[in-house]
Amino acid sequence: MTDVRERTVSLLETKPSVEPALQELVEVDRDGPWTFQDITLDSGTFGEIVSAGIVEKEGEAYRVVDRDAVQAALDGEQVNKSTSESGVLSSFGFDQVHERVDRNATVLLIGALLLVAAFRMLSFPSVFRNGDIILLGNDPYYYRYWVDQVVAEAGMFDFSAFAALPSGVTKGEPLLVATLWFMSSLLGGSTGVIGLVIAWYPVVAAMLTGVFLYLTATTVSGDRRIGLATVLMLALIPVNAYRTGLGFADHHAFDYLWLALTALALVKLVSETDRSWPYSVVLGVAVTGQLLAWDNGALLVVPLALVISLYAALELRRDRSPLREGAPLIAGLALASMLVWGAHTTLGWHSTVVASVPTLLFGGSAVIFALAEGARRVGLSAKTLLGAEAVAGVGLLVVLPSVFPELSQGLDRGLDTLFVSREIVETTSLVSGEMGTLVGPLLLLGFVFALGLPYVGWATLRAIRRRDAQWLALAVYAWWFLALSFVQLRFAGEFSVFLALFAGVGFVHLASVVDLTNPVGLFDDTTASQSRPRGRANGGEQMDLQLPSRREAMSYLGFTALVGSLSFVQIPVKFSQLTVADQEYRTAAWMREYADEKGWSYPQTYVLSSWGMNRMYNYIVNGESKSYAYARNNYDSLLRANDPAAWYERLRDRVGFVVTSDEAAGGTMAAQLANYGSESEGRDALSHYRLVHTEGSLRVFTLVAGATLTGEADGESVTASVDVDVGGETFTYEQTVDVGSDGTFSVTVPYTGEYDVAGGTYVVDEAAVTEGTDVRVRRGEE
């Protein structure tokens, strides 16, 4: 008895979380020999107990070696003391650190996280240029603008400033702006610091996501190799790499972080033997983060509702108290309800509909677990419960909109966001005609998609067959975001968070199949085996990792190169599509310098360009990048216009620069600008658009009143012409006008210089062009 009791005490001291499992085995053993199918333990926990010598095999069945000794250990003061001393650390999974720090695993994890960062820093030369921080894409400048505004207005911890922000921020991504503001203020709050914080935040978020995924993967698999492989797969997924890349300061990286934290909290809270109540707080914070970080954050918590519904039925099927087992989840959602509603009522963050989502989740989860508890007591089946949940869900969708009209409007807006077609790439489907049914997923997810997807199916089957709530939760999230990716490819990023974990399982499993590493406990039914393979113990117990030999390391590198081969191509390609081209940056920098020389102020400095680059141009030139709506509503119409003079009157008090390129599509106006405003066959010259700069295929025009040349002439028409040199680009500007019946003419020109018109010379200076002065000369005067 003494040896078994000591072994039990030792196991409980190092792993207090196995106490419920030991108690279950003691109860089961009272009825005689039993099999693995007779218990609810997962293979990892069972393997630990077998390895400790507490359980032994008898033929095809198992018995507890000394039931009284195990019970004595469970009832002993030493065990209770140990449990109480390490309770808080164990609750948060820090018991691994408390037991023993695996130096090799730590080194390899740091290496994997650095690889995550490295793939996201390919944009470094494009972001840091000549003292400027040039963000990737268009939308990041929106957040940069608002962080600038808040830092300028609010001191540190002065959250009241957020109540005065426009609805576009408070109903959009308030938590992201607040977080970036707080970190910038903490580091000094200068313009340079703000730029650095915003540029680096996606990389930091990606690394934190990697840490959360590592903890999640090791929790569900009991295998540090799978945790490390998960981080490696995260590094290699193209869509995740560029959406969390240096300078791509959109909301995506922030969303992924909260999703990964939610996954970690969930697998802890639905664990059979290692449920950690303090993770209720983590769940509450994570759900709050998802809802406050993005205006469509409600889509990110839908799978949580599905998990809760299925988990309640699963606990009913296990004949365990659903209400007791679901209490930590309910508590976490209660906390999220308070936090989100508090932010809504005090700071005005998000609409009432969005702020009500966690409250609906909290109330719904409490009702679901209560129904499951009632079903257990009256003897109803899990299938009956699921049917009742489905009917109730449909009923709520029908009834709630009529009771709460705002909810109906919010649902309509959500569906509009998902299904209304827009001219934005990320709103197209992952398998749309443009992307290709097969090619699209591979281009965005790499071969990691082909590696991980089968294991999402494996996890689903495992959850059904073994009643495994942890894998059930992860599979539900993966399927949900894959389905959303088929609607809009923007959700491929969210899917990549979970794909990385399943690909990590597949990476290690396939490596074991070809003998690159030892077998994976998840796929080994002989959990009582006494072997101790590299990187894991029997049944999945985490143990010290051994660094691979040179031959093994080369094999791993070869396998990684195979899986990541497409990613090595696609990640740089995706970054190149987002980075600001040199000619675009130089054009923006030139306009900024030109505006400074002229002493212009906003809106004199406003840049009208294609909407996809509009925020970048305007932030660099004038610091105003909160919206590209004006450019989107007017730029293409300008290029297609047939009445340049009318458009000049429309734009003159609103626009300082017009940027066009050889690639710009359009009609008459586009062709005229392409010819520098000079007349061409079938097209009149422009009088109010002056070319001031060229950079590669880009051309910059300013709007001017134009100098008006008047005089007398014989004949039916006269032509005004002048040679123009713009930054080494030389051309001849010409404009032909009709002579009136009284023999006079009038022609308005946008360029300075000497014009020869009808035998007379007209000297046009800068003031005449910008102020709209009339210039007259007698025929023949030089």
Side-chain angles (χ1 to χ4, degrees):
M1 174 175 178
T2 302
D3 291 342
V4 175
R5 177 171 179 170
E6 289 178 353
R7 289 197 294 268
T8 305
V9 169
S10 177
L11 178 62
L12 286 167
E13 287 177 344
T14 57
K15 286 283 188 179
S17 58
V18 303
E19 182 176 351
L22 290 171
Q23 189 64 59
E24 178 182 346
L25 294 182
V26 169
E27 296 300 325
V28 170
D29 197 73
R30 297 185 193 279
D31 298 327
W34 41 271
T35 65
F36 183 71
Q37 285 69 34
D38 296 325
I39 59 177
T40 63
L41 277 62
D42 59 77
S43 59
T45 302
F46 185 59
E48 295 179 52
I49 296 172
V50 172
S51 300
I54 299 171
V55 169
E56 63 183 1
K57 196 167 187 179
E58 289 187 359
E60 297 299 322
Y62 294 94
R63 294 302 303 270
V64 175
V65 174
D66 189 330
R67 191 167 59 247
D68 294 336
V70 174
Q71 189 64 61
L74 290 170
D75 296 337
E77 295 181 0
Q78 180 180 1
V79 173
N80 293 333
K81 179 180 179 182
S82 170
T83 302
S84 63
E85 289 176 349
S86 61
V88 175
L89 291 176
S90 299
S91 298
F92 284 101
F94 297 148
D95 51 322
Q96 298 173 6
V97 179
H98 183 65
E99 294 170 28
R100 175 175 54 194
V101 175
D102 186 342
R103 181 178 301 176
N104 290 339
T106 303
V107 169
L108 290 172
L109 176 59
I110 292 173
L113 292 173
L114 290 176
L115 190 63
V116 170
F119 276 111
R120 283 142 186 82
M121 291 172 60
L122 297 179
S123 57
F124 190 95
S126 299
V127 173
F128 298 101
R129 306 190 210 180
N130 300 325
D132 289 319
I133 297 177
I134 309 302
L135 304 177
L136 308 187
N138 199 39
D139 289 348
Y141 287 97
Y142 170 81
Y143 303 105
R144 186 169 184 176
Y145 171 82
W146 283 114
V147 174
D148 284 344
Q149 299 303 306
V150 178
V151 169
E153 295 293 331
M156 192 176 299
F157 302 110
D158 183 13
F159 283 90
S160 62
F162 286 91
L165 290 175
S167 61
V169 178
T170 57
K171 302 299 189 292
E173 296 83 29
L175 185 60
L176 173 58
V177 175
T179 302
L180 295 175
W181 155 72
F182 182 76
M183 294 306 301
S184 298
S185 298
L186 194 64
L187 297 174
S190 67
T191 301
V193 165
I194 294 171
L196 288 171
V197 168
I198 291 177
W200 281 101
Y201 120 74
V203 180
V204 175
M207 296 179 73
L208 288 174
T209 300
V211 172
F212 296 150
L213 282 178
Y214 173 82
L215 295 173
T216 302
T218 53
T219 296
V220 298
S221 69
D223 195 327
R224 289 192 177 102
R225 297 171 304 167
I226 291 177
L228 293 170
T230 295
V231 180
L232 177 62
M233 295 299 102
L234 182 71
L236 294 175
I237 299 177
V239 69
N240 192 284
Y242 79 77
R243 286 187 180 272
T244 59
L246 179 69
F248 195 68
D250 210 328
H251 64 85
H252 302 287
F254 207 50
D255 296 335
Y256 305 160
L257 184 153
W258 295 117
L259 272 177
L261 187 60
T262 300
L264 175 60
L266 267 182
V267 298
K268 288 290 186 180
L269 294 177
V270 301
S271 171
E272 295 180 43
T273 58
D274 192 23
R275 183 171 291 105
S276 304
W277 262 91
Y279 271 94
S280 296
V281 177
V282 178
L283 178 66
V285 172
V287 171
T288 300
Q290 290 175 61
L291 289 168
L292 296 182
W294 185 35
D295 55 347
N296 286 315
L299 286 171
L300 306 185
V301 299
V302 169
L304 179 57
L306 299 176
V307 170
I308 289 172
S309 299
L310 295 173
Y311 180 59
L314 188 63
E315 291 304 291
L316 174 61
R317 188 177 179 187
R318 289 172 173 165
D319 195 25
R320 298 167 65 172
S321 170
L323 196 57
R324 183 186 67 241
E325 301 302 322
L329 291 171
I330 298 173
L333 293 175
L335 176 62
S337 301
M338 291 186 289
L339 293 176
V340 174
W341 192 256
H344 172 66
T345 54
T346 59
L347 300 174
W349 286 6
H350 282 299
S351 64
T352 303
V353 173
V354 173
S356 301
V357 168
T359 303
L360 292 174
L361 277 174
F362 163 61
S365 64
V367 170
I368 286 173
F369 283 116
L371 287 175
E373 185 70 24
R376 177 173 177 262
R377 296 188 179 186
V378 300
L380 296 179
S381 68
K383 290 182 179 179
T384 302
L385 175 64
L386 287 173
E389 290 175 351
V391 171
V394 172
L396 284 175
L397 289 176
V398 173
V399 173
L400 282 179
S402 60
V403 178
F404 302 103
E406 288 187 20
L407 184 63
S408 178
Q409 296 171 6
L411 181 61
D412 290 341
R413 286 193 296 270
L415 293 175
D416 178 73
T417 299
L418 275 179
F419 296 106
V420 173
S421 177
R422 294 179 176 86
E423 296 177 2
I424 303 175
V425 173
E426 68 177 12
T427 63
T428 60
S429 171
L430 180 66
V431 292
S432 66
E434 295 180 5
M435 296 293 293
T437 303
L438 296 177
V439 176
L442 293 179
L443 292 180
L444 287 177
L445 301 166
F447 290 138
V448 179
F449 176 72
L451 175 61
L453 189 60
Y455 288 89
V456 180
W458 162 82
T460 305
L461 293 175
R462 177 188 175 95
I464 295 172
R465 292 172 179 174
R466 299 196 179 186
R467 307 173 190 177
D468 194 322
Q470 291 181 319
W471 287 109
L472 172 68
L474 296 175
V476 167
Y477 268 83
W479 287 122
W480 171 253
F481 288 117
L482 178 60
L484 285 185
S485 299
F486 290 157
V487 179
Q488 290 189 1
L489 63 82
R490 74 169 77 194
F491 293 102
E494 281 79 3
F495 173 60
S496 71
V497 173
F498 297 92
L499 176 65
L501 192 149
F502 290 106
V505 175
F507 185 90
V508 178
H509 181 223
L510 292 183
S512 69
V513 170
V514 297
D515 293 330
L516 291 181
T517 187
N518 288 303
V520 181
L522 289 171
F523 301 92
D524 184 5
D525 292 330
T526 59
T527 56
S529 169
Q530 296 302 309
S531 62
R532 295 178 65 85
R534 180 187 301 276
R536 67 177 182 89
N538 301 320
E541 176 192 356
Q542 295 176 22
M543 57 173 286
D544 285 349
L545 283 170
Q546 300 176 25
L547 292 177
S549 65
R550 181 176 180 181
R551 176 181 175 278
E552 289 174 323
M554 294 303 294
S555 298
Y556 284 133
L557 286 175
F559 191 27
T560 302
L562 177 63
V563 174
S565 56
L566 184 57
S567 300
F568 299 149
V569 175
Q570 278 300 107
I571 291 176
V573 167
K574 291 300 180 183
F575 271 111
S576 70
Q577 293 172 346
L578 288 170
T579 54
V580 175
D582 287 340
Q583 66 173 3
E584 293 166 336
Y585 164 65
R586 289 194 295 266
T587 297
W590 183 90
M591 286 189 288
R592 178 179 58 191
E593 184 178 348
Y594 183 87
D596 290 342
E597 290 176 356
K598 297 292 184 180
W600 290 358
S601 59
Y602 189 81
Q604 285 177 296
T605 55
Y606 179 80
V607 183
L608 181 61
S609 69
S610 61
W611 69 268
M613 297 301 295
N614 190 255
R615 278 181 169 146
M616 182 277 296
Y617 281 131
N618 279 288
Y619 186 85
I620 294 176
V621 176
N622 52 56
E624 296 286 337
S625 57
K626 60 182 176 181
S627 175
Y628 55 74
Y630 187 83
R632 189 171 185 182
N633 292 333
N634 291 282
Y635 184 70
D636 289 340
S637 298
L638 170 66
L639 296 183
R640 293 191 297 266
N642 295 315
D643 190 350
W647 271 93
Y648 165 71
E649 294 298 329
R650 180 175 179 175
L651 302 176
R652 61 183 300 181
D653 296 325
R654 180 66 173 80
V655 173
F657 300 98
V658 176
V659 179
T660 67
S661 69
D662 293 339
E663 292 78 22
T668 301
M669 188 70 174
Q672 290 169 309
L673 292 173
N675 201 38
Y676 309 127
S678 182
E679 67 184 16
S680 59
E681 185 177 354
R683 293 186 177 92
D684 295 333
L686 299 177
S687 297
H688 303 290
Y689 303 85
R690 177 172 64 171
L691 180 72
V692 291
H693 182 71
T694 62
E695 190 75 51
S697 65
L698 297 178
R699 293 179 292 276
V700 179
F701 294 84
T702 58
L703 277 66
V704 293
T708 301
L709 314 182
T710 60
E712 298 177 353
D714 297 328
E716 295 181 355
S717 64
V718 295
T719 299
S721 66
V722 67
D723 292 331
V724 181
D725 186 339
V726 178
E729 184 81 23
T730 60
F731 60 94
T732 300
Y733 171 84
E734 293 184 342
Q735 182 175 177
T736 299
V737 296
D738 294 333
V739 177
S741 58
D742 59 353
T744 63
F745 67 86
S746 175
V747 54
T748 302
V749 297
Y751 293 101
T752 60
E754 293 187 359
Y755 288 81
D756 291 324
V757 185
T761 300
Y762 294 75
V763 178
V764 178
D765 58 18
E766 182 69 15
V769 170
T770 57
E771 296 174 10
T773 304
D774 288 344
V775 180
R776 298 178 63 86
V777 66
R778 288 195 180 92
R779 185 188 300 255
E781 181 177 347
E782 296 183 1

